[in-house]
C-alpha cells in the first residue's frame, strides 16, 4: 500500500531542475526519479503473490538513456509458467462466475489506482523504455487508465456487445498474453482489460527489456484486491513466451510483436484448439495531397514517424507526396527536424528519447547503411546533438526512394522515414497498398471526397485523416496481411476473448 505521503508525491508536479550540459540551448527541466522505488531483484507474480522461480535465474534490464542497469528480473522457466497457468486455471471458475458488475468493479478500482500512481508509472516507464516523459505522462499512462475504465464498463453489458446474442457470451478460459517493449504498460492494458471484462484469467509476459512497469501493475492489481491468480505476470526471454504458447492448458494466445515471432506462434498453435490473435508489424503509408494544409501535414508527419522514437507498429514510415508539393514539404520537414530535441527522456522538453536497446540501435544503424548503399538521399538534422552515453539516433529520412528499396519494404521500427512521390490518386493508392503489411495509413487533404475515396481503397486496419497516431480505447485497432489478425480496442476488442 502507498503511504499518504507517496500518494501526495504521485500527484505533485516535479519542479526539480538539473543541468544537462552544453548540448542544449534551452532550460532543461528534469523529472525527478525519487518517486520510483525499483527492487534490485524482482520476482514473478503468480497466484496473487510475488514468488521466486525454482531455478533462480536472472537477467538485467537497463535504462537505455544511460546504459546503466536498473534491476534484475527473474527468467521464468517452463515450470514457472506451469505454476502461473495452474493459478490462472484455479482462479478461472470463481472469476468467470462473478457477475459482470462485480468484475467491472475490480477493473474500475485498477483504473483509479493507475490514475493515482500515474506519475510513478510514467517515470518508471520512461526509465526502463527510454521514451520521453512527456509521452509516458500525457499519452501512455492516461490511455492505460482509459482502457481499464472503458472495459470495466463493458463487463456487465456483454450480451449487447455481440450482435444477435441473447445472453452474455462465455469467456474462453486461461489466456496467454505476450507483449512487446514499445508501449509496455499500454500493451498490457490492451490485453488484460478486455480479457478480464469477459471473465477470462491471464498469464502475461512483458518484453525482456521493459518488464518493470508490468511488475508495478502487478502491485496495483494486488492493491486493488483482485482475486488471486486472475492475473499472473511472468518475466523472461523468448523461451518464456514460447512456454506460454505451448502450454496445453492455455485456451487462447494474444500476441503483439514482430511478424517473424508471430509466424512461429501461428505454427505452434496450428494443430491445437487454442484461439489466436496476432498484432504484428507494419510499414504504413502517409499520403499528402497537394490541397492539404501543408504546415499541419508536416507536423503530422513528424508525429507519425518520430513519436516514441519511431518504435511504433503503425508509424507512418512511408511518406507519399503529391509531386507538385514534394519539394516544399521536404524543405519544411528539414527545417522542422532541425528543431527536434533528442536527449534525456526525463527532460520534459525532450521530443525524441533513447532507442530501447543496444540491439535495436544496431539494427536501425544497419538499415540506414543499407539505405545509403541503395542510393536514397539521406538527411539528418545538423543542429541536433546526441548525448554521449546511451542509445540515441537522430530523426532522419531518405528522399526519392523507389518501392524496390529496402527502406520502402522493411519495418525499421526507428526514427527513419522513406519519402517518395505520386502524380494521381490512383498512383498514391497503389503505392500505399504495395506492401506485405496492412496496419495503418494516413491521408492529408482538405477535400472530404478525396479522403473517402482514398480511404475506401487502402488496405489498412486503421486510417487517419488529417491527423496521425491518435489512439482511443473505443476504437478498434489491428491489421491485414502480415500485420496480423484480430482487433484490440472498442467493442470488437471483446470478441477475441469470448466464445462466440
Ligand atoms: P518480438 O521480438 O516479436 O517480441 C515480442 C514478445 O514476444 C516479447 O515479449 C518477446 O520476448 C516474445 N517472444 C520472443 N520470441 C518468442 C517465441 N518464440 N515465442 C513466444 N514469445 C516470444 O517483438 P518486439 O521486438 O518486442 O516488438 C517489436 C515488434 O512489435 C514490431 O514488429 C512492431 O511492429 C510490433 N508491434 C505491433 C503492434 C500492433 O499492435 N500491431 C504493437 C506494438 C508492436 P523477449 O522480449 O524476451 O524477446
Ligand atoms: Mg529497459
Amino acid at each position: 500500500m502507498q503511504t499518504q505521503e507517496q500518494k501526495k508525491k504521485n500527484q505533485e508536479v516535479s519542479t526539480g531542475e538539473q543541468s544537462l550540459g552544453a548540448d542544449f540551448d534551452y532550460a532543461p527541466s528534469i523529472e525527478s526519479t525519487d518517486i520510483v522505488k525499483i527492487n534490485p531483484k524482482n520476482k514473478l507474480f503468480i497466484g496473487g503473490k510475488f514468488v521466486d522461480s525454482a531455478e533462480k535465474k536472472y537477467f538485467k534490464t537497463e535504462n537505455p538513456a544511460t546504459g546503466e542497469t536498473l534491476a534484475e528480473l527473474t527468467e521464468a522457466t517452463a515450470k514457472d509458467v506451469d505454476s502461473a497457468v495452474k493459478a490462472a486455471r484455479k482462479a478461472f471458475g470463481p472469476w468467470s462466475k462473478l457477475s459482470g458488475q462485480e468484475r467491472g468493479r475490480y477493473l474500475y478500482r485498477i483504473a483509479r489506482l493507475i490514475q493515482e500512481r500515474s506519475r510513478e508509472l510514467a517515470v518508471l516507464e520512461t526509465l526502463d523504455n527510454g521514451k520521453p516523459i512527456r509521452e509516458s505522462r500525457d499519452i501512455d499512462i492516461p490511455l492505460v487508465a482509459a482502457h481499464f475504465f472503458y472495459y470495466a464498463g463493458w463487463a456487465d453489458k456483454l450480451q449487447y456487445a455481440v450482435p444477435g446474442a441473447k445472453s452474455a457470451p462465455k469467456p474462453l478460459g486461461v489466456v496467454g498474453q505476450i507483449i512487446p517493449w514499445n508501449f509496455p504498460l499500454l500493451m498490457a492494458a490492451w490485453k488484460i482489460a478486455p480479457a478480464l471484462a469477459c471473465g477470462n484469467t491471464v498469464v502475461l509476459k512483458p518484453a525482456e527489456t521493459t518488464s518493470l512497469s508490468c511488475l508495478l501493475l502487478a502491485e496495483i492489481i494486488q492493491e486493488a484486491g483482485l482475486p488471486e491468480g486472475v492475473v499472473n505476470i511472468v518475466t523472461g526471454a523468448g523461451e518464456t513466451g514460447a512456454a506460454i504458447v505451448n502450454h496445453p492448458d492455455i485456451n487462447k494466445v494474444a500476441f503483439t510483436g514482430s511478424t517473424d515471432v508471430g509466424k512461429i506462434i501461428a505454427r505452434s498453435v496450428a494443430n491445437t484448439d487454442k484461439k489466436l490473435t496476432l498484432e504484428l508489424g507494419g510499414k504504413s503509408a502517409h499520403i499528402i495531397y497537394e490541397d492539404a494544409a501543408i504546415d499541419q501535414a508536416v507536423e503530422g508527419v513528424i508525429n507519425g514517424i518520430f513519436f516514441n522514437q519511431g518504435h511504433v507498429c503503425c508509424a507512418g514510415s512511408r511518406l507519399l507526396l503529391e509531386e507538385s508539393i514534394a519539394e516544399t514539404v521536404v524543405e519544411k520537414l528539414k527545417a522542422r527536424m532541425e528543431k527536434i530535441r533528442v536527449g534525456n527522456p526525463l527532460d520534459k522538453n525532450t521530443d525524441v528519447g533513447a532507442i530501447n536497446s543496444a540491439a535495436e540501435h544496431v539494427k536501425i544503424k544497419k538499415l540506414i547503411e543499407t539505405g545509403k548503399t541503395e542510393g536514397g538521399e539521406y538527411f539528418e538534422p545538423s543542429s541536433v546533438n546526441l548525448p554521449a552515453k546511451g542509445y540515441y539516433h537522430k530523426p532522419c529520412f531518405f528522399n526519392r526512394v523507389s518501392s524496390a528499396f529496402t527502406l520502402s519494404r522493411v519495418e525499421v521500427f526507428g526514427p527513419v522515414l522513406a519519402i517518395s512521390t505520386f502524380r494521381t490518386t490512383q498512383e498514391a493508392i497503389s503505392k500505399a497498398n504495395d506492401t506485405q503489411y496492412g496496419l495503418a495509413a494516413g491521408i492529408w487533404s482538405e477535400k472530404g471526397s478525396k479522403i473517402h475515396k482514398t480511404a475506401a481503397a487502402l488496405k489498412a486496419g486503421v486510417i487517419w485523416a488529417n491527423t496521425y497516431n491518435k489512439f482511443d480505447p473505443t476504437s478498434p485497432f489491428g491489421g491485414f496481411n502480415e500485420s496480423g489478425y484480430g482487433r484490440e480496442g472498442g467493442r470488437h476488442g471483446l470478441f477475441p476473448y469470448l466464445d462466440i
Side-chain angles (χ1 to χ4, degrees):
M1 284 289 280
Q2 293 181 95
T3 61
Q4 279 308 107
E5 203 193 338
Q6 275 173 319
K7 277 191 183 163
K8 194 166 155 261
K9 247 180 148 179
N10 261 309
Q11 286 153 3
E12 273 171 12
V13 178
S14 165
T15 50
E17 300 211 349
Q18 290 168 29
S19 167
L20 253 191
D23 280 359
F24 298 88
D25 59 355
Y26 59 93
S29 164
I30 311 296
E31 176 69 84
S32 160
T33 56
D34 291 353
I35 197 162
V36 177
K37 282 196 188 60
I38 300 177
N39 293 325
K41 248 193 169 95
N42 291 275
K43 301 183 180 206
L44 306 170
F45 185 64
I46 298 177
K49 295 178 188 66
F50 287 92
V51 298
D52 283 315
S53 153
E55 293 275 326
K56 296 211 171 169
K57 268 170 72 185
Y58 297 92
F59 62 97
K60 287 178 179 154
T61 188
E62 63 178 15
N63 177 355
T66 59
E68 283 156 14
T69 298
L70 286 171
E72 283 188 278
L73 300 159
T74 299
E75 186 174 332
T77 62
K79 221 172 139 199
D80 300 317
V81 168
D82 184 52
S83 306
V85 174
K86 286 202 170 97
R89 178 59 60 193
K90 193 170 158 210
F92 175 63
W95 177 249
S96 60
K97 287 188 190 76
L98 279 188
S99 71
Q101 201 183 21
E102 281 173 284
R103 284 201 309 276
R105 220 175 277 153
Y106 283 109
L107 290 174
Y108 280 123
R109 211 175 291 160
I110 293 170
R112 281 194 297 267
L113 286 170
I114 289 167
Q115 285 185 319
E116 266 181 39
R117 298 181 73 171
S118 60
R119 220 184 109 204
E120 193 181 346
L121 287 164
V123 173
L124 186 62
E125 196 76 314
T126 283
L127 281 173
D128 203 13
N129 171 281
K131 64 175 69 207
I133 186 69
R134 234 180 16 188
E135 290 179 8
S136 42
R137 185 195 61 193
D138 298 345
I139 300 171
D140 290 40
I141 308 304
L143 276 173
V144 170
H147 269 270
F148 278 97
F149 277 118
Y150 176 75
Y151 282 109
W154 271 117
D156 63 356
K157 302 173 192 71
L158 295 175
Q159 68 268 37
Y160 308 110
V162 182
K166 297 204 168 50
S167 59
K170 298 272 174 282
L172 296 173
V174 177
V175 303
Q177 306 183 320
I178 300 165
I179 57 170
W181 47 262
N182 56 342
F183 293 93
L185 205 57
L186 186 56
M187 291 299 109
W190 280 27
K191 298 247 173 316
I192 294 173
L196 262 48
C198 294
N200 303 279
T201 57
V202 163
V203 177
L204 175 130
K205 187 195 101 66
E208 238 173 300
T209 57
T210 55
S211 299
L212 291 176
S213 57
C214 282
L215 291 174
L216 184 49
L217 178 65
E219 233 179 273
I220 287 173
I221 283 170
Q222 219 179 24
E223 201 182 330
L226 191 74
E228 290 175 1
V230 171
V231 171
N232 305 274
I233 294 178
V234 288
T235 51
E239 295 84 72
T240 310
I244 295 175
V245 171
N246 296 322
H247 196 289
D249 202 28
I250 289 275
N251 301 103
K252 184 218 154 55
V253 175
F255 173 78
T256 298
S258 61
T259 297
D260 288 347
V261 175
K263 285 179 181 172
I264 297 173
I265 292 176
R267 280 196 288 273
S268 311
V269 303
N271 54 358
T272 70
D273 60 2
K274 290 171 192 167
K275 297 238 177 0
L276 176 66
T277 41
L278 298 173
E279 300 272 3
L280 308 176
K283 191 81 200 178
S284 299
H286 205 161
I287 300 169
I288 306 184
Y289 286 114
E290 63 179 5
D291 62 22
I294 300 294
D295 289 336
Q296 278 155 277
V298 167
E299 281 310 308
V301 172
I302 296 279
N303 183 49
I305 184 64
F306 303 130
F307 169 56
N308 202 37
Q309 296 70 247
H311 303 324
V312 182
C313 50
C314 51
S317 53
R318 286 186 296 141
L319 179 61
L320 305 180
L321 300 174
E322 188 152 4
E323 219 170 67
S324 52
I325 51 157
E327 216 168 296
T328 312
V329 173
V330 169
E331 286 316 307
K332 280 179 184 274
L333 196 56
K334 282 181 179 170
R336 178 64 181 80
M337 283 166 69
E338 293 289 350
K339 296 200 175 74
I340 291 178
R341 288 178 289 225
V342 184
N344 186 351
L346 287 167
D347 185 337
K348 293 168 199 166
N349 298 301
T350 290
D351 301 309
V352 172
I355 302 298
N356 180 250
S357 65
E360 281 301 307
H361 199 211
V362 169
K363 190 184 117 189
I364 292 167
K365 285 191 283 190
K366 267 196 187 146
L367 279 165
I368 288 177
E369 283 319 306
T370 306
K372 286 179 179 169
T373 328
E374 288 177 354
E377 285 172 23
Y378 181 72
F379 171 81
E380 60 175 38
S382 56
S383 51
V384 170
N385 295 310
L386 303 182
K389 265 200 318 185
Y391 318 122
Y392 293 91
H393 203 285
K394 289 191 186 189
C396 61
F397 67 70
F398 282 91
N399 195 10
R400 297 181 215 281
V401 299
S402 84
S403 53
F405 278 43
T406 304
L407 286 180
S408 302
R409 319 209 70 82
V410 173
E411 182 184 46
V412 181
F413 219 58
V416 188
L417 178 67
I419 308 177
S420 57
T421 58
F422 64 88
R423 284 186 186 162
T424 62
T425 306
Q426 199 42 54
E427 195 188 350
I429 292 165
S430 60
K431 277 193 165 165
N433 284 339
D434 182 17
T435 171
Q436 76 268 32
Y437 294 113
L439 194 52
I443 308 165
W444 291 81
S445 167
E446 292 291 277
K447 256 183 122 173
S449 58
K450 201 183 258 183
I451 289 172
H452 282 288
K453 186 181 169 194
T454 309
L458 292 178
K459 288 187 210 128
V462 179
I463 296 170
W464 284 287
N466 294 333
T467 187
Y468 205 93
N469 272 342
K470 290 282 182 291
F471 305 95
D472 190 285
T474 64
S475 166
F477 185 93
F480 291 105
N481 299 332
E482 294 208 1
S483 292
Y485 42 81
R487 294 292 177 264
E488 290 188 309
R491 184 174 61 91
H492 297 78
L494 295 163
F495 300 170
Y497 293 103
L498 292 170
D499 186 11
I500 42 179

